[in-house]
Amino acid sequence: ETETPITDEIVDETAGLIAQGNVSISESNGNVSLSAWTRSSKSMYLIGLKNISVERSSNGVNWTQEKTLTDKLKSNANYYSLSGHSVSVTGGYYYRITCDHYAEDSSGTSQSVSNTSNSVWID
């Protein structure tokens, strides 16, 4: 019986590193503009976005990876924000962003939550 609270506490702590996150995409002068943020309830060793991918589709249903971006991470913070990050793309497709909201505490425990943005048509 003494093991259950310890296990629950570890699971809760592990699962609770990321409090909130969001990713969105918009059109900006024929390119896509990426905005995203990740928030934790306490300061993290690392926090931000990983595995950021720009995907395109001709029909808005079937998606293929167009580009990958470098991880966007901040150290010793509880919040990371990326606003209006422009990515050049080819017109005539729908575009969306996929990424992982990422947080890692000082003990090396990490959490990753995948997210997909809205999609936008680029002429």
Side-chain angles (χ1 to χ4, degrees):
E1 285 185 343
T2 56
E3 291 178 7
T4 305
I6 294 168
T7 305
D8 288 348
E9 187 177 321
I10 292 168
V11 169
D12 290 345
E13 186 177 303
T14 303
L17 296 182
I18 297 171
Q20 293 175 306
N22 187 46
V23 61
S24 63
I25 190 174
S26 59
E27 184 275 336
S28 177
N29 300 319
N31 293 324
V32 295
S33 180
L34 158 67
S35 294
W37 55 267
T38 305
R39 175 180 286 125
S40 177
S41 56
K42 61 184 179 182
S43 184
M44 291 286 131
Y45 173 69
L46 287 173
I47 190 164
L49 308 165
K50 281 189 164 188
N51 304 314
I52 308 164
S53 180
V54 179
E55 297 181 346
R56 78 176 187 190
S57 171
S58 55
N59 59 12
V61 177
N62 302 309
W63 296 90
T64 55
Q65 185 173 305
E66 170 86 0
K67 294 183 177 187
T68 56
L69 305 179
T70 57
D71 293 346
K72 309 290 185 191
L73 298 169
K74 190 174 180 178
S75 56
N76 302 313
N78 70 335
Y79 183 73
Y80 177 83
S81 177
L82 182 67
S83 181
H85 183 79
S86 183
V87 179
S88 60
V89 294
T90 306
Y93 295 95
Y94 290 98
Y95 286 90
R96 72 180 185 184
I97 305 293
T98 61
C99 68
D100 293 332
H101 298 282
Y102 180 83
E104 181 181 324
D105 67 17
S106 56
S107 72
T109 300
S110 65
Q111 183 186 20
S112 189
V113 178
S114 60
N115 199 352
T116 302
S117 74
N118 55 304
S119 61
V120 61
W121 174 263
I122 304 295
D123 285 326

PDB file of all heavy atoms in Angstrom, residues 85-113:
ATOM      1  N   HIS A  85       6.882  33.452 -36.774  1.00  0.00           N
ATOM      2  CA  HIS A  85       8.084  32.886 -37.408  1.00  0.00           C
ATOM      3  C   HIS A  85       7.745  32.551 -38.865  1.00  0.00           C
ATOM      4  O   HIS A  85       6.968  31.638 -39.138  1.00  0.00           O
ATOM      5  CB  HIS A  85       8.533  31.637 -36.646  1.00  0.00           C
ATOM      6  CG  HIS A  85       9.790  31.026 -37.186  1.00  0.00           C
ATOM      7  ND1 HIS A  85      11.039  31.532 -36.901  1.00  0.00           N
ATOM      8  CD2 HIS A  85       9.973  29.959 -38.000  1.00  0.00           C
ATOM      9  CE1 HIS A  85      11.946  30.787 -37.523  1.00  0.00           C
ATOM     10  NE2 HIS A  85      11.323  29.835 -38.187  1.00  0.00           N
ATOM     11  N   SER A  86       8.326  33.280 -39.807  1.00  0.00           N
ATOM     12  CA  SER A  86       7.992  33.125 -41.226  1.00  0.00           C
ATOM     13  C   SER A  86       8.770  31.971 -41.868  1.00  0.00           C
ATOM     14  O   SER A  86       9.965  31.804 -41.631  1.00  0.00           O
ATOM     15  CB  SER A  86       8.297  34.421 -41.974  1.00  0.00           C
ATOM     16  OG  SER A  86       7.903  34.298 -43.328  1.00  0.00           O
ATOM     17  N   VAL A  87       8.061  31.173 -42.652  1.00  0.00           N
ATOM     18  CA  VAL A  87       8.664  30.067 -43.394  1.00  0.00           C
ATOM     19  C   VAL A  87       8.219  30.198 -44.848  1.00  0.00           C
ATOM     20  O   VAL A  87       7.023  30.291 -45.132  1.00  0.00           O
ATOM     21  CB  VAL A  87       8.215  28.697 -42.831  1.00  0.00           C
ATOM     22  CG1 VAL A  87       8.833  27.557 -43.622  1.00  0.00           C
ATOM     23  CG2 VAL A  87       8.563  28.581 -41.356  1.00  0.00           C
ATOM     24  N   SER A  88       9.184  30.222 -45.785  1.00  0.00           N
ATOM     25  CA  SER A  88       8.828  30.345 -47.198  1.00  0.00           C
ATOM     26  C   SER A  88       8.325  29.000 -47.717  1.00  0.00           C
ATOM     27  O   SER A  88       8.887  27.951 -47.424  1.00  0.00           O
ATOM     28  CB  SER A  88      10.019  30.830 -48.014  1.00  0.00           C
ATOM     29  OG  SER A  88      11.092  29.918 -47.913  1.00  0.00           O
ATOM     30  N   VAL A  89       7.235  29.057 -48.476  1.00  0.00           N
ATOM     31  CA  VAL A  89       6.608  27.854 -49.019  1.00  0.00           C
ATOM     32  C   VAL A  89       6.196  28.089 -50.468  1.00  0.00           C
ATOM     33  O   VAL A  89       6.191  29.228 -50.945  1.00  0.00           O
ATOM     34  CB  VAL A  89       5.365  27.442 -48.188  1.00  0.00           C
ATOM     35  CG1 VAL A  89       5.757  27.006 -46.781  1.00  0.00           C
ATOM     36  CG2 VAL A  89       4.335  28.557 -48.140  1.00  0.00           C
ATOM     37  N   THR A  90       5.858  27.029 -51.156  1.00  0.00           N
ATOM     38  CA  THR A  90       5.369  27.081 -52.529  1.00  0.00           C
ATOM     39  C   THR A  90       3.862  27.278 -52.515  1.00  0.00           C
ATOM     40  O   THR A  90       3.164  26.621 -51.735  1.00  0.00           O
ATOM     41  CB  THR A  90       5.699  25.751 -53.252  1.00  0.00           C
ATOM     42  OG1 THR A  90       7.097  25.502 -53.117  1.00  0.00           O
ATOM     43  CG2 THR A  90       5.324  25.813 -54.713  1.00  0.00           C
ATOM     44  N   GLY A  91       3.365  28.169 -53.355  1.00  0.00           N
ATOM     45  CA  GLY A  91       1.926  28.414 -53.419  1.00  0.00           C
ATOM     46  C   GLY A  91       1.168  27.249 -54.049  1.00  0.00           C
ATOM     47  O   GLY A  91       1.755  26.367 -54.674  1.00  0.00           O
ATOM     48  N   GLY A  92      -0.149  27.278 -53.868  1.00  0.00           N
ATOM     49  CA  GLY A  92      -1.005  26.257 -54.449  1.00  0.00           C
ATOM     50  C   GLY A  92      -1.265  25.074 -53.541  1.00  0.00           C
ATOM     51  O   GLY A  92      -1.694  24.015 -54.004  1.00  0.00           O
ATOM     52  N   TYR A  93      -1.028  25.238 -52.248  1.00  0.00           N
ATOM     53  CA  TYR A  93      -1.225  24.147 -51.289  1.00  0.00           C
ATOM     54  C   TYR A  93      -1.805  24.670 -49.979  1.00  0.00           C
ATOM     55  O   TYR A  93      -1.681  25.841 -49.653  1.00  0.00           O
ATOM     56  CB  TYR A  93       0.106  23.451 -50.955  1.00  0.00           C
ATOM     57  CG  TYR A  93       0.739  22.737 -52.107  1.00  0.00           C
ATOM     58  CD1 TYR A  93       1.701  23.366 -52.880  1.00  0.00           C
ATOM     59  CD2 TYR A  93       0.382  21.426 -52.418  1.00  0.00           C
ATOM     60  CE1 TYR A  93       2.304  22.714 -53.948  1.00  0.00           C
ATOM     61  CE2 TYR A  93       0.991  20.762 -53.481  1.00  0.00           C
ATOM     62  CZ  TYR A  93       1.944  21.410 -54.249  1.00  0.00           C
ATOM     63  OH  TYR A  93       2.529  20.765 -55.299  1.00  0.00           O
ATOM     64  N   TYR A  94      -2.414  23.746 -49.251  1.00  0.00           N
ATOM     65  CA  TYR A  94      -2.751  23.989 -47.851  1.00  0.00           C
ATOM     66  C   TYR A  94      -1.506  23.687 -47.040  1.00  0.00           C
ATOM     67  O   TYR A  94      -0.734  22.788 -47.383  1.00  0.00           O
ATOM     68  CB  TYR A  94      -3.865  23.048 -47.370  1.00  0.00           C
ATOM     69  CG  TYR A  94      -5.210  23.328 -47.958  1.00  0.00           C
ATOM     70  CD1 TYR A  94      -5.680  22.597 -49.042  1.00  0.00           C
ATOM     71  CD2 TYR A  94      -6.045  24.307 -47.411  1.00  0.00           C
ATOM     72  CE1 TYR A  94      -6.935  22.837 -49.590  1.00  0.00           C
ATOM     73  CE2 TYR A  94      -7.300  24.551 -47.948  1.00  0.00           C
ATOM     74  CZ  TYR A  94      -7.741  23.819 -49.034  1.00  0.00           C
ATOM     75  OH  TYR A  94      -8.974  24.065 -49.566  1.00  0.00           O
ATOM     76  N   TYR A  95      -1.321  24.416 -45.947  1.00  0.00           N
ATOM     77  CA  TYR A  95      -0.182  24.171 -45.060  1.00  0.00           C
ATOM     78  C   TYR A  95      -0.660  24.086 -43.616  1.00  0.00           C
ATOM     79  O   TYR A  95      -1.647  24.727 -43.239  1.00  0.00           O
ATOM     80  CB  TYR A  95       0.866  25.280 -45.179  1.00  0.00           C
ATOM     81  CG  TYR A  95       1.643  25.187 -46.462  1.00  0.00           C
ATOM     82  CD1 TYR A  95       1.205  25.845 -47.601  1.00  0.00           C
ATOM     83  CD2 TYR A  95       2.789  24.408 -46.546  1.00  0.00           C
ATOM     84  CE1 TYR A  95       1.905  25.739 -48.792  1.00  0.00           C
ATOM     85  CE2 TYR A  95       3.493  24.296 -47.730  1.00  0.00           C
ATOM     86  CZ  TYR A  95       3.044  24.962 -48.848  1.00  0.00           C
ATOM     87  OH  TYR A  95       3.726  24.838 -50.033  1.00  0.00           O
ATOM     88  N   ARG A  96       0.067  23.298 -42.833  1.00  0.00           N
ATOM     89  CA  ARG A  96      -0.170  23.209 -41.401  1.00  0.00           C
ATOM     90  C   ARG A  96       1.159  22.928 -40.705  1.00  0.00           C
ATOM     91  O   ARG A  96       2.142  22.572 -41.356  1.00  0.00           O
ATOM     92  CB  ARG A  96      -1.203  22.131 -41.049  1.00  0.00           C
ATOM     93  CG  ARG A  96      -0.692  20.721 -41.226  1.00  0.00           C
ATOM     94  CD  ARG A  96      -1.750  19.706 -40.865  1.00  0.00           C
ATOM     95  NE  ARG A  96      -1.210  18.340 -40.927  1.00  0.00           N
ATOM     96  CZ  ARG A  96      -1.921  17.248 -40.728  1.00  0.00           C
ATOM     97  NH1 ARG A  96      -3.214  17.350 -40.469  1.00  0.00           N
ATOM     98  NH2 ARG A  96      -1.352  16.057 -40.781  1.00  0.00           N
ATOM     99  N   ILE A  97       1.167  23.100 -39.403  1.00  0.00           N
ATOM    100  CA  ILE A  97       2.360  22.856 -38.597  1.00  0.00           C
ATOM    101  C   ILE A  97       2.058  21.715 -37.621  1.00  0.00           C
ATOM    102  O   ILE A  97       0.987  21.693 -37.000  1.00  0.00           O
ATOM    103  CB  ILE A  97       2.746  24.108 -37.774  1.00  0.00           C
ATOM    104  CG1 ILE A  97       2.915  25.334 -38.668  1.00  0.00           C
ATOM    105  CG2 ILE A  97       3.985  23.846 -36.930  1.00  0.00           C
ATOM    106  CD1 ILE A  97       4.070  25.290 -39.611  1.00  0.00           C
ATOM    107  N   THR A  98       2.996  20.801 -37.488  1.00  0.00           N
ATOM    108  CA  THR A  98       2.935  19.827 -36.403  1.00  0.00           C
ATOM    109  C   THR A  98       4.178  20.041 -35.544  1.00  0.00           C
ATOM    110  O   THR A  98       5.236  20.408 -36.054  1.00  0.00           O
ATOM    111  CB  THR A  98       2.895  18.369 -36.902  1.00  0.00           C
ATOM    112  OG1 THR A  98       4.079  18.095 -37.652  1.00  0.00           O
ATOM    113  CG2 THR A  98       1.669  18.119 -37.774  1.00  0.00           C
ATOM    114  N   CYS A  99       4.027  19.843 -34.245  1.00  0.00           N
ATOM    115  CA  CYS A  99       5.160  20.003 -33.347  1.00  0.00           C
ATOM    116  C   CYS A  99       4.896  19.249 -32.055  1.00  0.00           C
ATOM    117  O   CYS A  99       3.784  18.783 -31.804  1.00  0.00           O
ATOM    118  CB  CYS A  99       5.420  21.476 -33.048  1.00  0.00           C
ATOM    119  SG  CYS A  99       4.138  22.275 -32.064  1.00  0.00           S
ATOM    120  N   ASP A 100       5.928  19.145 -31.255  1.00  0.00           N
ATOM    121  CA  ASP A 100       5.807  18.591 -29.911  1.00  0.00           C
ATOM    122  C   ASP A 100       6.110  19.694 -28.910  1.00  0.00           C
ATOM    123  O   ASP A 100       7.178  20.316 -28.978  1.00  0.00           O
ATOM    124  CB  ASP A 100       6.802  17.445 -29.692  1.00  0.00           C
ATOM    125  CG  ASP A 100       6.490  16.220 -30.546  1.00  0.00           C
ATOM    126  OD1 ASP A 100       5.304  16.014 -30.872  1.00  0.00           O
ATOM    127  OD2 ASP A 100       7.428  15.480 -30.881  1.00  0.00           O
ATOM    128  N   HIS A 101       5.166  19.949 -28.009  1.00  0.00           N
ATOM    129  CA  HIS A 101       5.446  20.835 -26.872  1.00  0.00           C
ATOM    130  C   HIS A 101       6.325  20.013 -25.942  1.00  0.00           C
ATOM    131  O   HIS A 101       6.024  18.861 -25.646  1.00  0.00           O
ATOM    132  CB  HIS A 101       4.155  21.243 -26.178  1.00  0.00           C
ATOM    133  CG  HIS A 101       3.236  22.016 -27.059  1.00  0.00           C
ATOM    134  ND1 HIS A 101       3.422  23.355 -27.339  1.00  0.00           N
ATOM    135  CD2 HIS A 101       2.142  21.647 -27.755  1.00  0.00           C
ATOM    136  CE1 HIS A 101       2.471  23.766 -28.149  1.00  0.00           C
ATOM    137  NE2 HIS A 101       1.686  22.749 -28.422  1.00  0.00           N
ATOM    138  N   TYR A 102       7.437  20.585 -25.485  1.00  0.00           N
ATOM    139  CA  TYR A 102       8.421  19.825 -24.733  1.00  0.00           C
ATOM    140  C   TYR A 102       8.810  20.545 -23.456  1.00  0.00           C
ATOM    141  O   TYR A 102       8.983  21.762 -23.453  1.00  0.00           O
ATOM    142  CB  TYR A 102       9.666  19.607 -25.600  1.00  0.00           C
ATOM    143  CG  TYR A 102      10.760  18.816 -24.927  1.00  0.00           C
ATOM    144  CD1 TYR A 102      10.727  17.434 -24.914  1.00  0.00           C
ATOM    145  CD2 TYR A 102      11.822  19.464 -24.307  1.00  0.00           C
ATOM    146  CE1 TYR A 102      11.727  16.702 -24.295  1.00  0.00           C
ATOM    147  CE2 TYR A 102      12.828  18.741 -23.684  1.00  0.00           C
ATOM    148  CZ  TYR A 102      12.779  17.358 -23.682  1.00  0.00           C
ATOM    149  OH  TYR A 102      13.764  16.633 -23.077  1.00  0.00           O
ATOM    150  N   ALA A 103       8.934  19.783 -22.380  1.00  0.00           N
ATOM    151  CA  ALA A 103       9.429  20.324 -21.116  1.00  0.00           C
ATOM    152  C   ALA A 103      10.288  19.267 -20.436  1.00  0.00           C
ATOM    153  O   ALA A 103       9.972  18.078 -20.481  1.00  0.00           O
ATOM    154  CB  ALA A 103       8.281  20.730 -20.210  1.00  0.00           C
ATOM    155  N   GLU A 104      11.381  19.717 -19.847  1.00  0.00           N
ATOM    156  CA  GLU A 104      12.278  18.826 -19.117  1.00  0.00           C
ATOM    157  C   GLU A 104      12.685  19.514 -17.827  1.00  0.00           C
ATOM    158  O   GLU A 104      13.146  20.656 -17.848  1.00  0.00           O
ATOM    159  CB  GLU A 104      13.512  18.532 -19.968  1.00  0.00           C
ATOM    160  CG  GLU A 104      14.510  17.603 -19.324  1.00  0.00           C
ATOM    161  CD  GLU A 104      15.732  17.372 -20.196  1.00  0.00           C
ATOM    162  OE1 GLU A 104      15.596  17.305 -21.434  1.00  0.00           O
ATOM    163  OE2 GLU A 104      16.835  17.281 -19.637  1.00  0.00           O
ATOM    164  N   ASP A 105      12.497  18.827 -16.704  1.00  0.00           N
ATOM    165  CA  ASP A 105      12.860  19.436 -15.426  1.00  0.00           C
ATOM    166  C   ASP A 105      14.316  19.153 -15.078  1.00  0.00           C
ATOM    167  O   ASP A 105      15.026  18.467 -15.815  1.00  0.00           O
ATOM    168  CB  ASP A 105      11.891  19.023 -14.303  1.00  0.00           C
ATOM    169  CG  ASP A 105      11.971  17.547 -13.950  1.00  0.00           C
ATOM    170  OD1 ASP A 105      12.966  16.876 -14.318  1.00  0.00           O
ATOM    171  OD2 ASP A 105      11.034  17.057 -13.291  1.00  0.00           O
ATOM    172  N   SER A 106      14.757  19.675 -13.954  1.00  0.00           N
ATOM    173  CA  SER A 106      16.177  19.582 -13.576  1.00  0.00           C
ATOM    174  C   SER A 106      16.623  18.154 -13.288  1.00  0.00           C
ATOM    175  O   SER A 106      17.804  17.843 -13.344  1.00  0.00           O
ATOM    176  CB  SER A 106      16.454  20.475 -12.374  1.00  0.00           C
ATOM    177  OG  SER A 106      15.589  20.118 -11.310  1.00  0.00           O
ATOM    178  N   SER A 107      15.676  17.255 -13.022  1.00  0.00           N
ATOM    179  CA  SER A 107      16.039  15.863 -12.745  1.00  0.00           C
ATOM    180  C   SER A 107      16.182  15.048 -14.032  1.00  0.00           C
ATOM    181  O   SER A 107      16.541  13.879 -13.987  1.00  0.00           O
ATOM    182  CB  SER A 107      14.989  15.210 -11.847  1.00  0.00           C
ATOM    183  OG  SER A 107      13.792  14.974 -12.578  1.00  0.00           O
ATOM    184  N   GLY A 108      15.861  15.671 -15.177  1.00  0.00           N
ATOM    185  CA  GLY A 108      15.948  14.959 -16.454  1.00  0.00           C
ATOM    186  C   GLY A 108      14.641  14.317 -16.877  1.00  0.00           C
ATOM    187  O   GLY A 108      14.546  13.703 -17.925  1.00  0.00           O
ATOM    188  N   THR A 109      13.596  14.450 -16.050  1.00  0.00           N
ATOM    189  CA  THR A 109      12.267  13.958 -16.421  1.00  0.00           C
ATOM    190  C   THR A 109      11.705  14.881 -17.491  1.00  0.00           C
ATOM    191  O   THR A 109      11.769  16.104 -17.357  1.00  0.00           O
ATOM    192  CB  THR A 109      11.326  13.959 -15.194  1.00  0.00           C
ATOM    193  OG1 THR A 109      11.889  13.110 -14.192  1.00  0.00           O
ATOM    194  CG2 THR A 109       9.943  13.457 -15.570  1.00  0.00           C
ATOM    195  N   SER A 110      11.185  14.299 -18.562  1.00  0.00           N
ATOM    196  CA  SER A 110      10.660  15.138 -19.638  1.00  0.00           C
ATOM    197  C   SER A 110       9.265  14.699 -20.049  1.00  0.00           C
ATOM    198  O   SER A 110       8.841  13.584 -19.770  1.00  0.00           O
ATOM    199  CB  SER A 110      11.593  15.097 -20.849  1.00  0.00           C
ATOM    200  OG  SER A 110      11.620  13.799 -21.397  1.00  0.00           O
ATOM    201  N   GLN A 111       8.578  15.607 -20.699  1.00  0.00           N
ATOM    202  CA  GLN A 111       7.254  15.332 -21.246  1.00  0.00           C
ATOM    203  C   GLN A 111       7.161  15.971 -22.613  1.00  0.00           C
ATOM    204  O   GLN A 111       7.675  17.074 -22.832  1.00  0.00           O
ATOM    205  CB  GLN A 111       6.146  15.893 -20.345  1.00  0.00           C
ATOM    206  CG  GLN A 111       4.754  15.561 -20.867  1.00  0.00           C
ATOM    207  CD  GLN A 111       3.640  16.235 -20.075  1.00  0.00           C
ATOM    208  OE1 GLN A 111       3.867  17.219 -19.387  1.00  0.00           O
ATOM    209  NE2 GLN A 111       2.434  15.725 -20.191  1.00  0.00           N
ATOM    210  N   SER A 112       6.524  15.266 -23.513  1.00  0.00           N
ATOM    211  CA  SER A 112       6.335  15.753 -24.872  1.00  0.00           C
ATOM    212  C   SER A 112       4.876  15.538 -25.258  1.00  0.00           C
ATOM    213  O   SER A 112       4.338  14.445 -25.067  1.00  0.00           O
ATOM    214  CB  SER A 112       7.259  14.964 -25.805  1.00  0.00           C
ATOM    215  OG  SER A 112       7.256  15.528 -27.081  1.00  0.00           O
ATOM    216  N   VAL A 113       4.237  16.579 -25.762  1.00  0.00           N
ATOM    217  CA  VAL A 113       2.840  16.492 -26.172  1.00  0.00           C
ATOM    218  C   VAL A 113       2.736  16.986 -27.613  1.00  0.00           C
ATOM    219  O   VAL A 113       3.094  18.125 -27.914  1.00  0.00           O
ATOM    220  CB  VAL A 113       1.925  17.347 -25.267  1.00  0.00           C
ATOM    221  CG1 VAL A 113       0.485  17.283 -25.749  1.00  0.00           C
ATOM    222  CG2 VAL A 113       2.032  16.896 -23.817  1.00  0.00           C
TER     223      VAL A 113
END
